Amino acid sequence: MKGFKALFTVFFTFIGFVAYTQTGKLSGQISDSEGTRISKNFVLKGDTNELEQVVISGTMKEVSKLESPIPVEVYTSKFFKANPTPSLFDALQNINGVRPQLNCNVCNTGDIHINGLEGPYTMILIDGTPIVSGLSTVYGLSGIPQSLIDRIEIVKGPASTLYGSEAVGGLINIITKRPGTTPIVSADVFGTTWAELNADLGAKFSVGKRAQSLVGLNYFNYNNPIDNNNDNFTDVTLQNRVSIFNKWSFDRSDNRIFTLVGRYIYEDRWGGEMDWERKYRGGDEVYGESIYTKRWELFGTYQLPVSERILFQFSANGHDQNSMYGDSPYIADQKIAFGQLTWFKTLGKHALLTGLAYRYTYYDDNTPATASADDLDKNKATHTNLPGVFIQDEITLNENNKLLLGMRYDYNSLHGSILTPRVNYKWSSANKDNVLRLSFGNGYRVANVFTEDHAALTGAREVMFIDDLKPETSWNGNLNFVKKIYAGNTFIGLDATAFYTYFDNKIIADYDTDPNKIIYDNLDGHAVSQGVSLNIDIAFLNGLKIMAGATAMDVYSKEDGEIIRQLFTEKFTGTWNIGYTFRKSGLTLDYTGNLYGPMRLPLLSSTDPRSEYSPWRSIQNIQLTKKLKEGIEIYGGVKNLLNWTPNKGNPFIIARAHDPFDKNVQFDSSGQAMVTPDNPYALTFDPSYVYGPNQGIRGFLGLRYNLY
């Protein structure tokens, strides 16, 4: 035994609590055989600054999440690692109130619904710059290397005052990592028992002393046709996708900002009859939906070299799409250029933001959308100019109260002047444990049906326009309350929201009037999206963490006194993410899932044997992650534990999958399908009855590596 005297310092941190530090003197004896154990009990105190993440999406400037007058939800890269997916589109499935919606049973393209509003109402940004619109709404969330994503910020509710059209339902801002804070080399590769392969690779390097670059590569391949539901169609679309991402960050005097980002994505996907081959592309022998997509993007932010804080954001992108839906082609070319100047100025209690924005859109395709008004057989590309100006004043009334006022004016070269105001109020308690936010605003959307609605492209139904489509307008109110609770050594965070949106001129896709047509028109009445949502975060001292949420909503339109529930919209959604780390073994267990209520689906006729409403459904996943030596971890698990697929309980999903070109369908004089021995339900081929993925249970195994 040996005696000793020493000084010691204990430092302990845990999310949601103030760091514990104690320094003191220690004396005792050391046993040569057993060593010495030093133990001390202590209680951590709740941290009022818990989850003080910096966000930018709500107000276009960096501000702590709790101080923002706009409610912003933040999801870090760690959240998405609990359920690894090959694209951000799939990764959003475990976020409350946000749902990836498949729009086609054959080619598996889709969009993102926020609080029941369809994909065209959601704006996608990368590093705060609007990137996704029109054609790229379908594909913009694919191919971004997830290993390069720092966090995702989500704003629910209209943000048109700052971001213009397409931000009616909300926005999703993908914040990529800064080159200076990323590993030298990173890799995340996983495969599934369905023979899917996804690889995210990243690397950083410096050029001189002032330039740093981050390079990322995403590759996804699935080339294994499977038909478990026995309809002779692929259950999952085959894909070959590659995306290259390059971000530059330049060091400038006075810490001024200059970033430049480029991205290129190529995708070849097809789905259809199991015996489809390339030689059948565009023909009527064997049905297949084949889509070639080429897309490039260039965007960045430059802070002007002046004493005032003035930023110039810019972006340009081109999207080339060559699609064949059976024998119906959709060939489209879209180019968008965007520029925006923003000036930030603080005057006493006023934090002012003013901006000038301009967007130019070129769009051309082979559909009636770009046909000449004088001669429908002649093509006429559209050129849309959209200049705008906006101003925002964030007023600090006192330490606990803030008021935000905003106004935007846009002039659309096709539709004229559009004005969008908003007002937001935030109250917080002295200790910041209670935050109340109230918002009211206006949103608008200029629709382009052929770039937003996959069903309009497939040729399975004829597309009709009753009149020229007018811009939609909406008024929205949100009430948000955040509560932080410290129960002993447990942290509980509550985030509750009530939302209401009222639409004028909403553009409705009518699938019901004629089973062979999709009829588009502005609603002669109004539409409503309303509901409540609750998110709860719980962190226990033993390492157990629970994130769960639920949203109850009602989305409908009212015309001529009749209330019609919106298609493809559920009344209830629930999500959860439960994680626990076994500290001794270095194992982490993640259990994630979602639950969706019934949604109304399009039927072809009153005799269609498929259910008008989808059943309750849930997709659940489990994963184990093991940390090996520094920078290396392996993970694996099972996706879709319940083996849920939409064909269960239905006689079929795709109508007349055995006759996709309607060669054996007989029509009456009005063009309606007739009942025949071969067609007892009077149906035509239609893949639009879709509400969930056809992919059943599967295992997965992956490896992550980071070199710092």
Side-chain angles (χ1 to χ4, degrees):
M1 306 287 290
K2 298 179 181 179
F4 72 92
K5 293 183 179 180
L7 292 175
F8 72 91
T9 298
V10 176
F11 182 76
F12 189 87
T13 62
F14 189 77
I15 186 169
F17 301 91
V18 176
Y20 173 89
T21 304
Q22 181 172 335
T23 301
K25 295 181 179 179
L26 185 69
S27 62
Q29 291 185 332
I30 298 177
S31 168
D32 293 331
S33 60
E34 298 181 358
T36 296
R37 289 187 178 183
I38 302 170
S39 64
K40 181 175 179 64
N41 296 324
F42 52 86
V43 177
L44 296 180
K45 297 181 180 180
D47 183 5
T48 58
N49 294 317
E50 197 276 338
L51 295 182
E52 284 274 326
Q53 300 110 320
V54 172
V55 297
I56 64 173
S57 300
T59 59
M60 277 194 183
K61 67 175 183 178
E62 291 190 347
V63 62
S64 73
K65 179 181 175 181
L66 287 178
E67 290 300 322
S68 172
I70 312 295
V72 181
E73 297 181 14
V74 182
Y75 298 89
T76 65
S77 57
K78 186 176 181 180
F79 173 86
F80 298 105
K81 288 180 180 179
N83 180 35
T85 60
S87 72
L88 281 178
F89 176 83
D90 299 311
L92 298 175
Q93 63 185 280
N94 289 326
I95 295 179
N96 182 30
V98 179
R99 181 173 64 82
Q101 166 66 36
L102 290 179
N103 294 328
C104 176
N105 270 307
V106 181
C107 70
N108 292 162
T109 56
D111 56 28
I112 299 297
H113 289 206
I114 294 182
N115 286 344
L117 296 179
E118 302 99 319
Y121 297 96
T122 299
M123 173 168 278
I124 310 296
L125 304 96
I126 302 179
D127 290 336
T129 302
I131 293 297
V132 176
S133 58
L135 273 173
S136 53
T137 301
V138 177
Y139 303 98
L141 288 172
S142 297
I144 300 176
Q146 293 191 50
S147 60
L148 303 184
I149 294 173
D150 178 66
R151 67 187 188 275
I152 292 180
E153 300 177 1
I154 297 177
V155 176
K156 299 173 183 176
S160 294
T161 301
L162 287 184
Y163 296 99
S165 179
E166 297 136 24
V168 176
L171 62 89
I172 299 173
N173 191 3
I174 303 162
I175 310 294
T176 59
K177 294 179 179 178
R178 297 177 181 178
T181 60
T182 58
I184 299 173
V185 177
S186 64
D188 189 343
V189 181
F190 74 87
T192 74
T193 54
W194 276 49
E196 299 162 297
L197 174 65
N198 185 79
D200 279 342
L201 306 175
K204 73 171 182 180
F205 60 91
S206 298
V207 178
K209 296 182 179 180
R210 293 185 173 270
Q212 295 178 315
S213 182
L214 178 63
V215 179
L217 172 69
N218 170 255
Y219 176 72
F220 176 74
N221 180 272
Y222 172 65
N223 193 31
N224 181 37
I226 293 177
D227 178 27
N228 285 339
N229 61 9
N230 299 315
D231 61 0
N232 195 39
F233 271 67
T234 53
D235 289 346
V236 177
T237 302
L238 282 72
Q239 298 179 54
N240 188 39
R241 181 181 69 237
V242 61
S243 175
I244 301 174
F245 178 94
N246 187 203
K247 181 175 183 177
W248 287 83
S249 179
F250 300 91
D251 294 332
R252 301 173 61 209
S253 60
D254 299 320
N255 292 320
R256 291 191 178 98
I257 301 169
F258 183 24
T259 60
L260 185 64
V261 181
R263 184 169 80 110
Y264 177 80
I265 181 171
Y266 173 79
E267 183 181 73
D268 174 6
R269 70 163 64 196
W270 75 267
E273 294 186 88
M274 292 290 288
D275 56 345
W276 187 87
E277 300 177 16
R278 299 285 177 191
K279 64 182 180 181
Y280 298 120
R281 191 175 194 267
D284 63 356
E285 295 179 66
V286 180
Y287 188 89
E289 296 186 1
S290 171
I291 303 173
Y292 302 147
T293 301
K294 299 177 183 177
R295 177 175 174 81
W296 61 267
E297 299 166 353
L298 180 67
F299 56 96
T301 300
Y302 179 78
Q303 185 175 350
L304 272 60
V306 295
S307 58
E308 299 290 338
R309 183 174 171 80
I310 301 176
L311 300 180
F312 176 58
Q313 291 179 298
F314 55 91
S315 70
N317 62 70
H319 190 113
D320 177 74
Q321 187 166 324
N322 183 324
S323 306
M324 287 291 176
Y325 302 98
D327 57 358
S328 299
Y330 174 61
I331 313 298
D333 180 27
Q334 176 180 272
K335 294 180 176 64
I336 297 177
F338 171 81
Q340 178 170 274
L341 272 174
T342 54
W343 176 35
F344 301 85
K345 184 69 174 180
T346 301
L347 297 173
K349 294 184 177 182
H350 298 264
L352 297 172
L353 166 65
T354 58
L356 294 172
Y358 174 76
R359 182 188 297 185
Y360 167 76
T361 302
Y362 166 87
Y363 177 73
D364 190 18
D365 67 18
N366 64 313
T367 75
T370 55
S372 172
D374 300 324
D375 186 349
L376 295 180
D377 293 328
K378 291 184 178 180
N379 188 64
K380 185 178 181 180
T382 61
H383 303 264
T384 306
N385 296 285
L386 186 63
V389 58
F390 57 90
I391 183 169
Q392 175 180 277
D393 184 9
E394 185 177 330
I395 308 167
T396 302
L397 302 175
N398 54 47
E399 186 178 351
N400 305 111
N401 294 272
K402 283 188 177 182
L403 180 66
L404 185 145
L405 305 173
M407 180 73 73
R408 182 184 181 106
Y409 171 78
D410 288 296
Y411 183 81
N412 187 287
S413 59
L414 299 179
H415 301 285
S417 299
I418 302 172
L419 195 66
T420 49
R422 77 166 171 178
V423 58
N424 296 80
Y425 167 75
K426 183 186 80 73
W427 168 86
S428 60
S429 60
N431 60 5
K432 307 294 184 182
D433 286 350
N434 302 280
V435 179
L436 179 70
R437 296 181 178 94
L438 179 64
S439 64
F440 180 77
N442 175 247
Y444 79 95
R445 180 174 76 96
V446 177
N448 190 330
V449 168
F450 284 93
T451 64
E452 297 169 347
D453 191 344
H454 169 270
L457 310 176
T458 63
R461 295 181 182 227
E462 179 186 355
V463 176
M464 288 188 61
F465 299 94
I466 301 300
D467 294 300
D468 291 336
L469 298 180
K470 302 174 183 178
E472 294 182 354
T473 58
S474 65
W475 292 95
N476 173 279
N478 277 35
L479 178 64
N480 172 255
F481 179 68
V482 176
K483 173 73 174 178
K484 295 189 292 182
I485 303 171
Y486 303 98
N489 292 331
T490 301
F491 167 77
I492 302 174
L494 301 175
D495 189 332
T497 301
F499 57 90
Y500 180 88
T501 304
Y502 181 96
F503 289 91
D504 282 321
N505 290 334
K506 187 172 185 183
I507 298 169
I508 300 292
D510 180 2
Y511 288 78
D512 301 323
T513 301
D514 190 325
N516 298 315
K517 298 177 181 178
I518 307 175
I519 303 172
Y520 290 93
D521 194 13
N522 288 105
L523 185 67
D524 184 16
H526 68 271
V528 170
S529 171
Q530 60 186 350
V532 293
S533 69
L534 175 65
N535 289 324
I536 181 169
D537 298 347
I538 307 176
F540 296 93
L541 190 60
N542 63 3
L544 176 65
K545 297 181 181 180
I546 300 174
M547 297 181 64
T551 299
M553 57 191 169
D554 187 19
V555 184
Y556 64 88
S557 60
K558 186 174 183 179
E559 189 173 26
D560 298 328
E562 182 182 6
I563 295 178
I564 302 174
R565 181 175 167 183
Q566 180 175 283
L567 285 169
F568 305 113
T569 303
E570 66 284 354
K571 285 196 172 185
F572 176 86
T573 66
T575 60
W576 62 87
N577 187 324
I578 303 173
Y580 181 76
T581 299
F582 301 88
R583 294 191 178 98
K584 290 185 178 180
S585 62
L587 279 173
T588 298
L589 176 67
D590 291 294
Y591 171 48
T592 60
N594 51 54
L595 175 66
Y596 298 123
M599 65 175 66
R600 190 170 74 90
L601 301 170
L603 299 181
L604 294 179
S605 69
S606 59
T607 58
D608 194 327
R610 296 172 295 182
S611 173
E612 183 181 4
Y613 289 89
S614 64
W616 285 86
R617 57 191 176 95
S618 177
I619 294 181
Q620 302 175 24
N621 319 286
I622 195 164
Q623 173 183 265
L624 271 176
T625 303
K626 170 67 174 177
K627 287 188 176 181
L628 302 176
K629 59 182 181 180
E630 187 68 25
I632 301 177
E633 62 182 27
I634 59 173
Y635 59 91
V638 179
K639 291 182 179 293
N640 198 354
L641 281 166
L642 304 181
N643 197 28
W644 178 89
T645 52
N647 61 295
K648 296 179 180 180
N650 265 311
F652 51 83
I653 296 295
I654 300 176
R656 291 190 66 79
H658 65 283
D659 184 21
F661 296 101
D662 292 334
K663 293 181 178 180
N664 297 317
V665 177
Q666 297 182 27
F667 298 92
D668 60 21
S669 57
S670 62
Q672 302 302 307
M674 299 172 57
V675 173
T676 63
D678 180 61
N679 191 9
Y681 303 118
L683 305 179
T684 56
F685 173 73
D686 186 21
S688 63
Y689 186 95
V690 55
Y691 58 93
N694 285 310
Q695 195 169 24
I697 189 171
R698 59 203 181 278
F700 66 97
L701 182 65
L703 171 70
R704 295 190 185 99
Y705 172 70
N706 291 297
L707 174 65
Y708 290 92

